[in-house]
Amino acid sequence: MKDIFTNLYNKVIGFFQAEKGDSSKVIASNRLKLVLMHDRTNLDTLTMQKMREQLIKVISRYIEIDQEALDLNLEGEGDAIALMLNIPVIRARTLEEIEAIEKAEEEELAQKAAKDAEEQEDAEGSSDESEETEKNTKDSDESGNAEESVISEEEANTEENLQNEETNETEKQKVKKK
Amino acid sequence: MTGRVIVITSGKGGVGKTTTSANIGTALAKSGAKVVLIDTDIGLRNLDLLLGLENRIVYTLVDVVEERCKLKQALVKDKKNPNLCLLAAAQTRDKTAVTAEQLKEICEELQEDYDFILVDCPAGIEHGFQTAISGASEAIVVTTPEMSAVRDADRIIGLLEAKEEIKSYKLLINRVRPNLIKANDMMSVDDVVDILSCNLIGIIPEDTGIITSTNRGEPIVNDENSMAGKAYKNVALRIQGEEVPFLDIDEPHGFIDKIKKFFKIKAKA
């Protein structure tokens, strides 16, 4: 008798929770999948962040993309792991634009090379002091990076939420049309 | 300021060390204390999951020890409570990556800025356990009212007693099921305390809410209606020196519990 009631109770509760779609078991399995993917591939947050930045740089050379909505994730089925990249495209760039960007990049590289060369000369000229300052700047760079990655992740989270809201809205619109 | 370093240990795995660490840490931080949680289960880290911080970890305990970052950089702030920080374990290494001396140094450094440093200990009594207890002066031994867990807790208490640095250790009995105790199918809290002859700091009832709160990455102390959450809050108060009576776990709380009770009465009739 007791079992019948517990069963009924679970079914009723289960029915209402399934309606919601954000039941904790769905959240749990999604979180776990993501974490396991990172564990299995040995890719940490920092590396993923770096990869994301590089990918954005290369892709936006040719296509104007919504950088904030770019979604980079590891997904897996069974033993295979795939890197899923979802990029909302705003528009393709024209040939002239691509050339202009490439030119700008080349110039940037050239400038960097020139700067490096200058710095090397300076370093050779002066004593140990410059090395120390270099170390300091490196340290501060590292801490800067760490903060950046944390912030951008938070941003990414809020973006996800926004996206979800948007999709919800479009779904609602569809319903209205019907 | 000299913070208190408390290690949370059990010997046996799966009795709720990590859940206990996450909840006591959150409860202490909620009361205004500054808290750091250290996960020393290198290679099998989970504290980040229970706190819902798994996506925010950039540096780990091993990175600090191997000087790839500063200690402060590796502390991940909690989503809700700025008083709470996590120092995560590395997932890709093993327990030998950090020595007892190194962890002790880290704890000493953290003691200057924080009120509580809670060390989540790995299961077992080997290297990982010895490392985890190295910086601590207090311990909480987590056990459940089951034979194997109580036996392992007894072994742990023996090891803690032999360690001079540990000034006090207290017992936390987790996953207590009043119905089973009433039916004489489970050892009662008093039975366990008698067997281990150790002072009690908390009794946590079995609570299905623990599963959903873990699923969401949110410690159960954030849920005002949860019995286990209340019990963990009381543990935090006792740690801070307040005298709180132990919860009466027989009374049903919350709306759902009342419905369940209603059905049970009907079923009996």
mmCIF file of all heavy atoms in Angstrom, chain A residues 1-2 5 9 22-25 27-28 31 34-35 39 42 45-46 139 142-143 146 149 153-154 157, chain B residues 48-49 52 54-59 68 70 73 91-92 212 214-217 256 259-260 263-264 267:
data_model
loop_
_atom_site.group_PDB
_atom_site.id
_atom_site.type_symbol
_atom_site.label_atom_id
_atom_site.label_comp_id
_atom_site.label_asym_id
_atom_site.label_seq_id
_atom_site.Cartn_x
_atom_site.Cartn_y
_atom_site.Cartn_z
ATOM 1 N N MET A 1 0.829 -1.202 0.000
ATOM 2 C CA MET A 1 0.000 0.000 0.000
ATOM 3 C C MET A 1 0.869 1.260 0.000
ATOM 4 O O MET A 1 0.698 2.176 -0.795
ATOM 5 C CB MET A 1 -0.869 -0.046 1.275
ATOM 6 C CG MET A 1 -2.095 0.834 1.230
ATOM 7 S SD MET A 1 -3.153 0.550 -0.187
ATOM 8 C CE MET A 1 -4.294 1.887 0.011
ATOM 9 N N LYS A 2 1.877 1.252 0.860
ATOM 10 C CA LYS A 2 2.792 2.381 0.986
ATOM 11 C C LYS A 2 3.509 2.609 -0.349
ATOM 12 O O LYS A 2 3.669 3.742 -0.813
ATOM 13 C CB LYS A 2 3.802 2.040 2.078
ATOM 14 C CG LYS A 2 4.542 3.233 2.613
ATOM 15 C CD LYS A 2 5.361 2.765 3.806
ATOM 16 C CE LYS A 2 6.546 3.657 4.040
ATOM 17 N NZ LYS A 2 7.446 3.094 5.042
ATOM 18 N N PHE A 5 1.528 4.443 -3.004
ATOM 19 C CA PHE A 5 1.459 5.891 -2.802
ATOM 20 C C PHE A 5 2.773 6.570 -3.171
ATOM 21 O O PHE A 5 2.777 7.617 -3.811
ATOM 22 C CB PHE A 5 1.082 6.205 -1.350
ATOM 23 C CG PHE A 5 -0.406 6.150 -1.118
ATOM 24 C CD1 PHE A 5 -0.967 5.197 -0.286
ATOM 25 C CD2 PHE A 5 -1.226 7.066 -1.764
ATOM 26 C CE1 PHE A 5 -2.319 5.148 -0.098
ATOM 27 C CE2 PHE A 5 -2.593 7.022 -1.565
ATOM 28 C CZ PHE A 5 -3.139 6.060 -0.735
ATOM 29 N N TYR A 9 3.161 9.320 -6.002
ATOM 30 C CA TYR A 9 3.755 10.597 -5.611
ATOM 31 C C TYR A 9 4.928 10.948 -6.547
ATOM 32 O O TYR A 9 5.011 12.025 -7.106
ATOM 33 C CB TYR A 9 4.207 10.489 -4.160
ATOM 34 C CG TYR A 9 5.120 11.577 -3.685
ATOM 35 C CD1 TYR A 9 4.612 12.818 -3.317
ATOM 36 C CD2 TYR A 9 6.493 11.366 -3.599
ATOM 37 C CE1 TYR A 9 5.448 13.813 -2.880
ATOM 38 C CE2 TYR A 9 7.332 12.358 -3.159
ATOM 39 C CZ TYR A 9 6.805 13.582 -2.797
ATOM 40 O OH TYR A 9 7.643 14.563 -2.368
ATOM 41 N N ASP A 22 14.156 22.171 -16.779
ATOM 42 C CA ASP A 22 15.441 22.503 -16.153
ATOM 43 C C ASP A 22 15.601 21.684 -14.872
ATOM 44 O O ASP A 22 16.132 22.144 -13.892
ATOM 45 C CB ASP A 22 15.548 23.996 -15.861
ATOM 46 C CG ASP A 22 14.523 24.451 -14.829
ATOM 47 O OD1 ASP A 22 13.521 23.732 -14.668
ATOM 48 O OD2 ASP A 22 14.737 25.497 -14.201
ATOM 49 N N SER A 23 15.129 20.453 -14.914
ATOM 50 C CA SER A 23 15.235 19.605 -13.732
ATOM 51 C C SER A 23 16.704 19.395 -13.410
ATOM 52 O O SER A 23 17.554 19.465 -14.281
ATOM 53 C CB SER A 23 14.558 18.269 -13.978
ATOM 54 O OG SER A 23 15.260 17.564 -14.967
ATOM 55 N N SER A 24 16.969 19.123 -12.139
ATOM 56 C CA SER A 24 18.355 19.105 -11.700
ATOM 57 C C SER A 24 19.125 17.965 -12.341
ATOM 58 O O SER A 24 20.331 18.030 -12.479
ATOM 59 C CB SER A 24 18.420 19.035 -10.185
ATOM 60 O OG SER A 24 18.259 17.728 -9.742
ATOM 61 N N LYS A 25 18.435 16.912 -12.778
ATOM 62 C CA LYS A 25 19.196 15.809 -13.384
ATOM 63 C C LYS A 25 19.728 16.210 -14.767
ATOM 64 O O LYS A 25 20.794 15.788 -15.175
ATOM 65 C CB LYS A 25 18.343 14.541 -13.456
ATOM 66 C CG LYS A 25 17.384 14.507 -14.604
ATOM 67 C CD LYS A 25 16.936 13.098 -14.883
ATOM 68 C CE LYS A 25 16.268 13.093 -16.236
ATOM 69 N NZ LYS A 25 15.867 11.805 -16.693
ATOM 70 N N ILE A 27 20.537 19.325 -15.575
ATOM 71 C CA ILE A 27 21.655 20.215 -15.260
ATOM 72 C C ILE A 27 22.877 19.386 -14.910
ATOM 73 O O ILE A 27 23.980 19.625 -15.395
ATOM 74 C CB ILE A 27 21.282 21.140 -14.086
ATOM 75 C CG1 ILE A 27 20.113 22.047 -14.478
ATOM 76 C CG2 ILE A 27 22.482 21.982 -13.661
ATOM 77 C CD1 ILE A 27 19.577 22.889 -13.331
ATOM 78 N N ALA A 28 22.663 18.363 -14.060
ATOM 79 C CA ALA A 28 23.779 17.533 -13.607
ATOM 80 C C ALA A 28 24.464 16.837 -14.771
ATOM 81 O O ALA A 28 25.686 16.867 -14.893
ATOM 82 C CB ALA A 28 23.286 16.506 -12.595
ATOM 83 N N ARG A 31 26.436 19.328 -16.912
ATOM 84 C CA ARG A 31 27.656 19.791 -16.253
ATOM 85 C C ARG A 31 28.718 18.705 -16.269
ATOM 86 O O ARG A 31 29.887 18.948 -16.540
ATOM 87 C CB ARG A 31 27.362 20.171 -14.807
ATOM 88 C CG ARG A 31 26.586 21.457 -14.644
ATOM 89 C CD ARG A 31 26.261 21.692 -13.185
ATOM 90 N NE ARG A 31 27.432 21.901 -12.360
ATOM 91 C CZ ARG A 31 27.522 21.558 -11.080
ATOM 92 N NH1 ARG A 31 26.507 20.970 -10.490
ATOM 93 N NH2 ARG A 31 28.602 21.780 -10.401
ATOM 94 N N LEU A 34 30.438 18.102 -19.684
ATOM 95 C CA LEU A 34 31.423 19.140 -19.982
ATOM 96 C C LEU A 34 32.713 18.915 -19.207
ATOM 97 O O LEU A 34 33.811 18.951 -19.761
ATOM 98 C CB LEU A 34 30.808 20.500 -19.621
ATOM 99 C CG LEU A 34 31.416 21.699 -20.312
ATOM 100 C CD1 LEU A 34 31.103 21.661 -21.792
ATOM 101 C CD2 LEU A 34 30.886 22.987 -19.692
ATOM 102 N N VAL A 35 32.554 18.632 -17.906
ATOM 103 C CA VAL A 35 33.730 18.434 -17.061
ATOM 104 C C VAL A 35 34.528 17.219 -17.520
ATOM 105 O O VAL A 35 35.755 17.255 -17.606
ATOM 106 C CB VAL A 35 33.289 18.273 -15.593
ATOM 107 C CG1 VAL A 35 34.427 17.747 -14.753
ATOM 108 C CG2 VAL A 35 32.802 19.585 -15.031
ATOM 109 N N ASP A 39 38.402 16.786 -18.638
ATOM 110 C CA ASP A 39 39.281 15.854 -17.939
ATOM 111 C C ASP A 39 39.968 14.920 -18.935
ATOM 112 O O ASP A 39 41.158 14.663 -18.856
ATOM 113 C CB ASP A 39 38.469 15.002 -16.951
ATOM 114 C CG ASP A 39 38.135 15.777 -15.691
ATOM 115 O OD1 ASP A 39 38.551 16.939 -15.608
ATOM 116 O OD2 ASP A 39 37.455 15.215 -14.816
ATOM 117 N N ASN A 42 42.501 16.725 -21.177
ATOM 118 C CA ASN A 42 43.528 17.514 -20.498
ATOM 119 C C ASN A 42 43.561 18.973 -20.930
ATOM 120 O O ASN A 42 44.595 19.613 -20.850
ATOM 121 C CB ASN A 42 44.918 16.919 -20.734
ATOM 122 C CG ASN A 42 45.218 15.864 -19.707
ATOM 123 O OD1 ASN A 42 44.499 15.761 -18.726
ATOM 124 N ND2 ASN A 42 46.256 15.088 -19.939
ATOM 125 N N THR A 45 40.798 25.447 -18.688
ATOM 126 C CA THR A 45 40.065 26.658 -19.068
ATOM 127 C C THR A 45 40.960 27.666 -19.799
ATOM 128 O O THR A 45 40.550 28.297 -20.763
ATOM 129 C CB THR A 45 39.500 27.329 -17.803
ATOM 130 O OG1 THR A 45 39.127 26.311 -16.897
ATOM 131 C CG2 THR A 45 38.300 28.174 -18.131
ATOM 132 N N LEU A 46 42.191 27.798 -19.283
ATOM 133 C CA LEU A 46 43.106 28.792 -19.840
ATOM 134 C C LEU A 46 43.434 28.470 -21.296
ATOM 135 O O LEU A 46 43.418 29.350 -22.167
ATOM 136 C CB LEU A 46 44.383 28.806 -18.985
ATOM 137 C CG LEU A 46 45.213 30.067 -19.042
ATOM 138 C CD1 LEU A 46 44.432 31.254 -18.516
ATOM 139 C CD2 LEU A 46 46.492 29.887 -18.246
ATOM 140 N N ASP A 139 55.322 38.869 -14.890
ATOM 141 C CA ASP A 139 54.447 38.488 -13.781
ATOM 142 C C ASP A 139 53.094 39.174 -13.894
ATOM 143 O O ASP A 139 52.057 38.546 -13.796
ATOM 144 C CB ASP A 139 55.102 38.860 -12.440
ATOM 145 C CG ASP A 139 56.108 37.803 -12.027
ATOM 146 O OD1 ASP A 139 56.211 36.784 -12.745
ATOM 147 O OD2 ASP A 139 56.776 38.007 -11.025
ATOM 148 N N GLU A 142 50.912 37.812 -16.468
ATOM 149 C CA GLU A 142 50.244 36.547 -16.116
ATOM 150 C C GLU A 142 48.991 36.799 -15.304
ATOM 151 O O GLU A 142 47.933 36.273 -15.577
ATOM 152 C CB GLU A 142 51.190 35.646 -15.319
ATOM 153 C CG GLU A 142 52.058 34.788 -16.225
ATOM 154 C CD GLU A 142 53.084 34.023 -15.438
ATOM 155 O OE1 GLU A 142 52.839 33.721 -14.252
ATOM 156 O OE2 GLU A 142 54.141 33.736 -16.010
ATOM 157 N N SER A 143 49.147 37.653 -14.274
ATOM 158 C CA SER A 143 47.978 37.892 -13.421
ATOM 159 C C SER A 143 46.876 38.541 -14.251
ATOM 160 O O SER A 143 45.703 38.239 -14.081
ATOM 161 C CB SER A 143 48.354 38.764 -12.235
ATOM 162 O OG SER A 143 48.900 39.968 -12.693
ATOM 163 N N ALA A 146 44.991 35.929 -16.171
ATOM 164 C CA ALA A 146 44.091 35.117 -15.351
ATOM 165 C C ALA A 146 42.793 35.871 -15.108
ATOM 166 O O ALA A 146 41.717 35.322 -15.245
ATOM 167 C CB ALA A 146 44.769 34.796 -14.020
ATOM 168 N N SER A 149 40.591 36.053 -18.191
ATOM 169 C CA SER A 149 39.889 34.821 -18.547
ATOM 170 C C SER A 149 38.668 34.627 -17.658
ATOM 171 O O SER A 149 37.624 34.221 -18.112
ATOM 172 C CB SER A 149 40.819 33.612 -18.447
ATOM 173 O OG SER A 149 41.158 33.406 -17.115
ATOM 174 N N GLU A 153 34.814 34.721 -19.016
ATOM 175 C CA GLU A 153 33.963 33.552 -18.842
ATOM 176 C C GLU A 153 32.608 33.954 -18.272
ATOM 177 O O GLU A 153 31.577 33.477 -18.686
ATOM 178 C CB GLU A 153 34.631 32.572 -17.893
ATOM 179 C CG GLU A 153 34.367 31.153 -18.295
ATOM 180 C CD GLU A 153 35.145 30.249 -17.416
ATOM 181 O OE1 GLU A 153 36.306 29.980 -17.742
ATOM 182 O OE2 GLU A 153 34.598 29.845 -16.385
ATOM 183 N N GLU A 154 32.680 34.872 -17.290
ATOM 184 C CA GLU A 154 31.429 35.343 -16.730
ATOM 185 C C GLU A 154 30.579 35.967 -17.824
ATOM 186 O O GLU A 154 29.380 35.751 -17.912
ATOM 187 C CB GLU A 154 31.699 36.372 -15.630
ATOM 188 C CG GLU A 154 31.909 35.705 -14.274
ATOM 189 C CD GLU A 154 32.447 36.675 -13.254
ATOM 190 O OE1 GLU A 154 32.350 37.882 -13.475
ATOM 191 O OE2 GLU A 154 32.977 36.197 -12.235
ATOM 192 N N ASN A 157 28.977 33.415 -19.786
ATOM 193 C CA ASN A 157 27.818 32.834 -19.115
ATOM 194 C C ASN A 157 26.580 33.688 -19.346
ATOM 195 O O ASN A 157 25.525 33.178 -19.682
ATOM 196 C CB ASN A 157 28.083 32.727 -17.614
ATOM 197 C CG ASN A 157 28.935 31.511 -17.309
ATOM 198 O OD1 ASN A 157 29.003 30.603 -18.146
ATOM 199 N ND2 ASN A 157 29.576 31.502 -16.171
ATOM 200 N N ASP B 48 35.031 21.374 -6.567
ATOM 201 C CA ASP B 48 34.637 22.404 -7.540
ATOM 202 C C ASP B 48 33.240 22.133 -8.098
ATOM 203 O O ASP B 48 32.450 23.047 -8.301
ATOM 204 C CB ASP B 48 35.661 22.501 -8.670
ATOM 205 C CG ASP B 48 35.941 21.152 -9.311
ATOM 206 O OD1 ASP B 48 35.754 20.130 -8.625
ATOM 207 O OD2 ASP B 48 36.334 21.112 -10.482
ATOM 208 N N LEU B 49 32.930 20.862 -8.298
ATOM 209 C CA LEU B 49 31.608 20.495 -8.816
ATOM 210 C C LEU B 49 30.506 20.813 -7.810
ATOM 211 O O LEU B 49 29.458 21.333 -8.172
ATOM 212 C CB LEU B 49 31.560 18.986 -9.110
ATOM 213 C CG LEU B 49 32.013 18.497 -10.473
ATOM 214 C CD1 LEU B 49 31.842 16.995 -10.544
ATOM 215 C CD2 LEU B 49 31.217 19.161 -11.580
ATOM 216 N N GLY B 52 29.791 24.317 -7.852
ATOM 217 C CA GLY B 52 29.417 24.860 -9.162
ATOM 218 C C GLY B 52 30.483 25.765 -9.747
ATOM 219 O O GLY B 52 30.193 26.665 -10.524
ATOM 220 N N GLU B 54 33.274 24.608 -11.428
ATOM 221 C CA GLU B 54 34.167 23.825 -12.288
ATOM 222 C C GLU B 54 34.625 24.572 -13.536
ATOM 223 O O GLU B 54 35.685 24.294 -14.084
ATOM 224 C CB GLU B 54 33.501 22.489 -12.649
ATOM 225 C CG GLU B 54 32.309 22.588 -13.603
ATOM 226 C CD GLU B 54 30.995 22.806 -12.896
ATOM 227 O OE1 GLU B 54 31.008 23.126 -11.701
ATOM 228 O OE2 GLU B 54 29.942 22.685 -13.553
ATOM 229 N N ASN B 55 33.848 25.571 -13.983
ATOM 230 C CA ASN B 55 34.233 26.297 -15.198
ATOM 231 C C ASN B 55 35.155 27.475 -14.918
ATOM 232 O O ASN B 55 35.603 28.139 -15.830
ATOM 233 C CB ASN B 55 32.990 26.830 -15.909
ATOM 234 C CG ASN B 55 32.189 25.707 -16.505
ATOM 235 O OD1 ASN B 55 32.752 24.704 -16.920
ATOM 236 N ND2 ASN B 55 30.874 25.866 -16.534
ATOM 237 N N ARG B 56 35.405 27.762 -13.667
ATOM 238 C CA ARG B 56 36.151 28.981 -13.352
ATOM 239 C C ARG B 56 37.570 28.702 -12.908
ATOM 240 O O ARG B 56 38.307 29.626 -12.568
ATOM 241 C CB ARG B 56 35.450 29.743 -12.238
ATOM 242 C CG ARG B 56 34.032 30.052 -12.612
ATOM 243 C CD ARG B 56 33.450 31.088 -11.737
ATOM 244 N NE ARG B 56 32.064 31.300 -12.128
ATOM 245 C CZ ARG B 56 31.327 32.287 -11.687
ATOM 246 N NH1 ARG B 56 31.838 33.143 -10.860
ATOM 247 N NH2 ARG B 56 30.088 32.413 -12.093
ATOM 248 N N ILE B 57 37.948 27.432 -12.863
ATOM 249 C CA ILE B 57 39.257 27.124 -12.323
ATOM 250 C C ILE B 57 40.332 27.329 -13.373
ATOM 251 O O ILE B 57 40.279 26.759 -14.457
ATOM 252 C CB ILE B 57 39.281 25.693 -11.765
ATOM 253 C CG1 ILE B 57 38.462 25.691 -10.486
ATOM 254 C CG2 ILE B 57 40.691 25.237 -11.481
ATOM 255 C CD1 ILE B 57 37.925 24.372 -10.124
ATOM 256 N N VAL B 58 41.267 28.183 -13.056
ATOM 257 C CA VAL B 58 42.378 28.441 -13.963
ATOM 258 C C VAL B 58 43.645 27.803 -13.406
ATOM 259 O O VAL B 58 44.313 27.042 -14.074
ATOM 260 C CB VAL B 58 42.578 29.959 -14.156
ATOM 261 C CG1 VAL B 58 43.736 30.212 -15.107
ATOM 262 C CG2 VAL B 58 41.302 30.604 -14.684
ATOM 263 N N TYR B 59 43.965 28.107 -12.154
ATOM 264 C CA TYR B 59 45.141 27.516 -11.511
ATOM 265 C C TYR B 59 44.710 26.617 -10.353
ATOM 266 O O TYR B 59 43.651 26.804 -9.769
ATOM 267 C CB TYR B 59 46.056 28.613 -10.980
ATOM 268 C CG TYR B 59 46.641 29.475 -12.050
ATOM 269 C CD1 TYR B 59 46.294 30.814 -12.145
ATOM 270 C CD2 TYR B 59 47.537 28.953 -12.982
ATOM 271 C CE1 TYR B 59 46.831 31.618 -13.129
ATOM 272 C CE2 TYR B 59 48.080 29.746 -13.968
ATOM 273 C CZ TYR B 59 47.725 31.085 -14.044
ATOM 274 O OH TYR B 59 48.247 31.870 -15.012
ATOM 275 N N ARG B 68 53.857 28.160 -10.614
ATOM 276 C CA ARG B 68 53.392 28.681 -11.898
ATOM 277 C C ARG B 68 52.467 29.883 -11.700
ATOM 278 O O ARG B 68 52.133 30.576 -12.643
ATOM 279 C CB ARG B 68 52.660 27.589 -12.680
ATOM 280 C CG ARG B 68 53.611 26.737 -13.518
ATOM 281 C CD ARG B 68 52.834 25.833 -14.441
ATOM 282 N NE ARG B 68 52.095 24.828 -13.681
ATOM 283 C CZ ARG B 68 52.632 23.688 -13.255
ATOM 284 N NH1 ARG B 68 53.874 23.406 -13.531
ATOM 285 N NH2 ARG B 68 51.910 22.834 -12.563
ATOM 286 N N LYS B 70 50.818 32.754 -8.340
ATOM 287 C CA LYS B 70 50.838 33.126 -6.926
ATOM 288 C C LYS B 70 49.619 32.508 -6.253
ATOM 289 O O LYS B 70 48.618 32.202 -6.912
ATOM 290 C CB LYS B 70 50.794 34.637 -6.793
ATOM 291 C CG LYS B 70 52.028 35.300 -7.381
ATOM 292 C CD LYS B 70 52.152 36.738 -6.891
ATOM 293 C CE LYS B 70 53.325 37.437 -7.538
ATOM 294 N NZ LYS B 70 53.006 38.014 -8.845
ATOM 295 N N GLN B 73 46.264 34.166 -6.923
ATOM 296 C CA GLN B 73 45.714 33.967 -8.269
ATOM 297 C C GLN B 73 44.920 32.667 -8.361
ATOM 298 O O GLN B 73 44.006 32.548 -9.166
ATOM 299 C CB GLN B 73 46.845 33.891 -9.289
ATOM 300 C CG GLN B 73 47.416 35.229 -9.680
ATOM 301 C CD GLN B 73 48.583 35.015 -10.600
ATOM 302 O OE1 GLN B 73 49.709 34.866 -10.168
ATOM 303 N NE2 GLN B 73 48.310 34.967 -11.888
ATOM 304 N N GLN B 91 43.608 17.985 -11.563
ATOM 305 C CA GLN B 91 42.931 16.759 -11.961
ATOM 306 C C GLN B 91 43.882 15.822 -12.699
ATOM 307 O O GLN B 91 43.656 14.624 -12.753
ATOM 308 C CB GLN B 91 41.729 17.126 -12.839
ATOM 309 C CG GLN B 91 40.890 15.963 -13.309
ATOM 310 C CD GLN B 91 40.129 15.281 -12.184
ATOM 311 O OE1 GLN B 91 40.380 15.514 -11.011
ATOM 312 N NE2 GLN B 91 39.209 14.427 -12.545
ATOM 313 N N THR B 92 44.955 16.364 -13.242
ATOM 314 C CA THR B 92 45.812 15.567 -14.115
ATOM 315 C C THR B 92 47.032 14.992 -13.403
ATOM 316 O O THR B 92 47.872 14.367 -14.013
ATOM 317 C CB THR B 92 46.306 16.420 -15.291
ATOM 318 O OG1 THR B 92 46.849 17.630 -14.761
ATOM 319 C CG2 THR B 92 45.172 16.746 -16.232
ATOM 320 N N THR B 212 19.897 16.709 -5.445
ATOM 321 C CA THR B 212 19.553 17.790 -6.368
ATOM 322 C C THR B 212 20.475 18.993 -6.175
ATOM 323 O O THR B 212 20.827 19.656 -7.145
ATOM 324 C CB THR B 212 18.088 18.225 -6.179
ATOM 325 O OG1 THR B 212 17.841 18.420 -4.801
ATOM 326 C CG2 THR B 212 17.128 17.192 -6.714
ATOM 327 N N THR B 214 23.574 18.918 -5.316
ATOM 328 C CA THR B 214 24.834 18.578 -5.978
ATOM 329 C C THR B 214 24.672 18.700 -7.491
ATOM 330 O O THR B 214 25.549 19.211 -8.188
ATOM 331 C CB THR B 214 25.260 17.142 -5.618
ATOM 332 O OG1 THR B 214 25.282 17.025 -4.205
ATOM 333 C CG2 THR B 214 26.634 16.825 -6.168
ATOM 334 N N ASN B 215 23.527 18.236 -8.006
ATOM 335 C CA ASN B 215 23.263 18.347 -9.442
ATOM 336 C C ASN B 215 23.387 19.792 -9.915
ATOM 337 O O ASN B 215 23.889 20.060 -11.002
ATOM 338 C CB ASN B 215 21.845 17.864 -9.752
ATOM 339 C CG ASN B 215 21.726 16.358 -9.736
ATOM 340 O OD1 ASN B 215 22.745 15.663 -9.677
ATOM 341 N ND2 ASN B 215 20.516 15.853 -9.781
ATOM 342 N N ARG B 216 22.890 20.699 -9.096
ATOM 343 C CA ARG B 216 22.895 22.110 -9.484
ATOM 344 C C ARG B 216 24.179 22.833 -9.122
ATOM 345 O O ARG B 216 24.364 24.003 -9.487
ATOM 346 C CB ARG B 216 21.731 22.840 -8.809
ATOM 347 C CG ARG B 216 20.374 22.410 -9.317
ATOM 348 C CD ARG B 216 19.251 23.114 -8.592
ATOM 349 N NE ARG B 216 17.992 22.438 -8.805
ATOM 350 C CZ ARG B 216 17.247 22.571 -9.899
ATOM 351 N NH1 ARG B 216 17.654 23.377 -10.855
ATOM 352 N NH2 ARG B 216 16.130 21.910 -10.047
ATOM 353 N N GLY B 217 25.035 22.177 -8.359
ATOM 354 C CA GLY B 217 26.277 22.832 -7.951
ATOM 355 C C GLY B 217 26.029 23.920 -6.936
ATOM 356 O O GLY B 217 26.629 24.979 -6.967
ATOM 357 N N ILE B 256 6.925 19.246 1.171
ATOM 358 C CA ILE B 256 6.943 17.900 0.583
ATOM 359 C C ILE B 256 7.002 16.833 1.669
ATOM 360 O O ILE B 256 6.320 15.806 1.603
ATOM 361 C CB ILE B 256 8.117 17.764 -0.408
ATOM 362 C CG1 ILE B 256 7.803 18.606 -1.636
ATOM 363 C CG2 ILE B 256 8.358 16.321 -0.792
ATOM 364 C CD1 ILE B 256 8.890 18.694 -2.648
ATOM 365 N N ILE B 259 3.596 16.250 2.999
ATOM 366 C CA ILE B 259 2.787 15.418 2.099
ATOM 367 C C ILE B 259 3.166 13.953 2.277
ATOM 368 O O ILE B 259 2.321 13.069 2.420
ATOM 369 C CB ILE B 259 3.002 15.835 0.633
ATOM 370 C CG1 ILE B 259 2.505 17.253 0.423
ATOM 371 C CG2 ILE B 259 2.273 14.871 -0.316
ATOM 372 C CD1 ILE B 259 2.758 17.781 -0.964
ATOM 373 N N LYS B 260 4.495 13.722 2.326
ATOM 374 C CA LYS B 260 4.969 12.350 2.484
ATOM 375 C C LYS B 260 4.416 11.751 3.766
ATOM 376 O O LYS B 260 3.960 10.607 3.792
ATOM 377 C CB LYS B 260 6.503 12.336 2.544
ATOM 378 C CG LYS B 260 7.169 12.194 1.192
ATOM 379 C CD LYS B 260 8.646 11.986 1.426
ATOM 380 C CE LYS B 260 9.408 12.125 0.126
ATOM 381 N NZ LYS B 260 10.827 12.334 0.378
ATOM 382 N N PHE B 263 0.825 10.806 3.435
ATOM 383 C CA PHE B 263 0.633 9.550 2.713
ATOM 384 C C PHE B 263 0.994 8.355 3.574
ATOM 385 O O PHE B 263 0.344 7.311 3.544
ATOM 386 C CB PHE B 263 1.463 9.531 1.423
ATOM 387 C CG PHE B 263 0.784 10.253 0.301
ATOM 388 C CD1 PHE B 263 1.446 11.236 -0.412
ATOM 389 C CD2 PHE B 263 -0.527 9.954 -0.043
ATOM 390 C CE1 PHE B 263 0.829 11.908 -1.447
ATOM 391 C CE2 PHE B 263 -1.150 10.619 -1.068
ATOM 392 C CZ PHE B 263 -0.478 11.590 -1.779
ATOM 393 N N LYS B 264 2.050 8.510 4.361
ATOM 394 C CA LYS B 264 2.477 7.401 5.199
ATOM 395 C C LYS B 264 1.385 7.052 6.208
ATOM 396 O O LYS B 264 1.099 5.882 6.455
ATOM 397 C CB LYS B 264 3.778 7.763 5.925
ATOM 398 C CG LYS B 264 4.995 7.325 5.133
ATOM 399 C CD LYS B 264 6.249 7.791 5.810
ATOM 400 C CE LYS B 264 7.357 7.844 4.783
ATOM 401 N NZ LYS B 264 8.404 8.782 5.173
ATOM 402 N N ALA B 267 -1.298 5.288 4.428
ATOM 403 C CA ALA B 267 -0.895 3.950 4.034
ATOM 404 C C ALA B 267 -1.023 2.988 5.204
ATOM 405 O O ALA B 267 -1.453 1.845 5.064
ATOM 406 C CB ALA B 267 0.538 3.980 3.522
#
